[in-house]
Amino acid sequence: YWRDWSSDVCSSDLLTVKDTSVRQEFGIVAPGGQVIETGFEVHRLDTGLDWAASFDRDLVQGNGSSIQGGAGLPSSLSSWRPATRSAVWIQDRLTIARGLSIEPGLRFDYSTFNARGSLSPRVAATFRLDPTVRVRASGGLFYQSPGWEKLLQSDYLVDLTPAGDVGLASERSAHIVLSMEKDLGPAVLMRVEGYYKTFSDLITGRLETEAERAVRLSQYDFPAELQWSVPREPLITSSPGNDGTGRAYGIDLFVSRS
């Protein structure tokens, strides 16, 4: 359970997340050192949001779904969305040459929240330069299904109540990672890692339709000299859509001692 009281915008939120899950993994060691790993998991999620707000909408707020007073926020919202999220995966780890191993894998996810499945291929390769130095490259697709629990730390609010009806897709990310590891001692590891990630189908508030914009503008009764202040451009609403995209890249330095 999570509750936040914000005096700045006079709003109260109660986000409820109940997760009952089961997970099982299996491993098979084949001749020659090949390792096959597989498994499954099932999550029964009961999530809900109770939202109440009593504040004037900020029409100059760039994001109409911002919890800091966006113009597209509802005055109140009570939503409860039970859903089941399940997944099955398989990964093969094998040595194909001296010092070189690969790990191809495949994962399938399905969520009843939006009644969609997603297939995620992944692959990694490790090359051992010497007994203490390894170079590793990996890449793959990753998906995240919609859900109230994903908005726990967001600074915006979209109404996921009709998510299954509007056909929301799962958020998608593609990862490419290149790293070098070195054993500095019996229990000390150093790793330098560079990554590049793209994000698509991110769930954000969609823009007003032309009909919605017309209804909003019809409520303004301003004299001619103040017409310039009427926000005529389409606003971001709290209705969800898969319109967000992005990318991330960087370099990490990691040192551990076990």
Side-chain angles (χ1 to χ4, degrees):
Y1 300 90
W2 174 75
R3 184 186 295 272
D4 173 59
W5 299 93
S6 175
S7 59
D8 293 336
V9 295
C10 299
S11 66
S12 62
D13 317 310
L14 177 60
L15 177 64
T16 304
V17 179
K18 297 179 181 179
D19 183 357
T20 303
S21 64
V22 59
R23 179 186 176 98
Q24 180 64 56
E25 298 181 11
F26 306 92
I28 302 173
V29 180
Q34 181 180 4
V35 179
I36 301 174
E37 298 174 331
T38 185
F40 70 89
E41 63 181 11
V42 179
H43 293 258
R44 173 60 183 183
L45 292 164
D46 291 302
T47 61
L49 177 70
D50 287 304
W51 156 275
S54 56
F55 53 84
D56 293 331
R57 302 301 187 266
D58 183 1
L59 297 180
V60 299
Q61 175 69 245
N63 185 351
S65 62
S66 169
I67 60 174
Q68 299 300 319
L73 290 176
S75 297
S76 62
L77 174 63
S78 182
S79 174
W80 187 265
R81 288 298 304 266
T84 299
R85 187 179 74 235
S86 56
V88 60
W89 64 86
I90 186 170
Q91 177 177 288
D92 192 4
R93 186 185 311 156
L94 66 159
T95 300
I96 61 175
R98 183 177 178 85
L100 177 62
S101 63
I102 63 170
E103 299 177 23
L106 193 63
R107 179 185 175 100
F108 178 76
D109 291 87
Y110 183 83
S111 174
T112 62
F113 195 100
N114 59 344
R116 293 200 182 194
S118 56
L119 192 63
S120 310
R122 302 166 190 180
V123 65
T126 302
F127 183 65
R128 186 178 292 272
L129 297 178
D130 63 40
T132 64
V133 179
R134 297 167 297 279
V135 176
R136 181 177 175 87
S138 61
L141 293 178
F142 299 82
Y143 289 87
Q144 178 173 272
S145 60
W148 281 121
E149 73 279 7
K150 312 302 193 311
L151 298 180
L152 179 62
Q153 295 179 330
S154 296
D155 59 356
Y156 62 91
L157 174 70
V158 294
D159 185 359
L160 293 179
T161 303
D165 301 328
V166 300
L168 279 179
S170 296
E171 297 177 312
R172 167 175 159 161
S173 180
H175 295 189
I176 298 176
V177 181
L178 179 64
S179 64
M180 177 175 285
E181 297 179 346
K182 180 174 177 58
D183 297 321
L184 300 180
V188 181
L189 170 70
M190 180 180 72
R191 180 170 66 238
V192 179
E193 181 176 272
Y195 62 88
Y196 183 84
K197 303 176 183 180
T198 62
F199 305 91
S200 58
D201 291 331
L202 300 182
I203 297 173
T204 61
R206 64 165 176 79
L207 288 176
E208 286 179 313
T209 64
E210 187 58 33
E212 290 170 337
R213 190 178 76 92
V215 169
R216 176 174 58 81
L217 293 178
S218 68
Q219 301 176 33
Y220 287 90
D221 185 17
F222 284 16
E225 59 271 21
L226 294 179
Q227 285 295 316
W228 62 269
S229 64
V230 177
R232 299 185 177 278
E233 295 298 320
L235 299 178
I236 297 175
T237 70
S238 59
S239 297
N242 291 110
D243 302 318
T245 60
R247 60 177 180 168
Y249 51 88
I251 299 176
D252 288 335
L253 175 61
F254 175 80
V255 179
S256 68
R257 181 175 180 178
S258 58

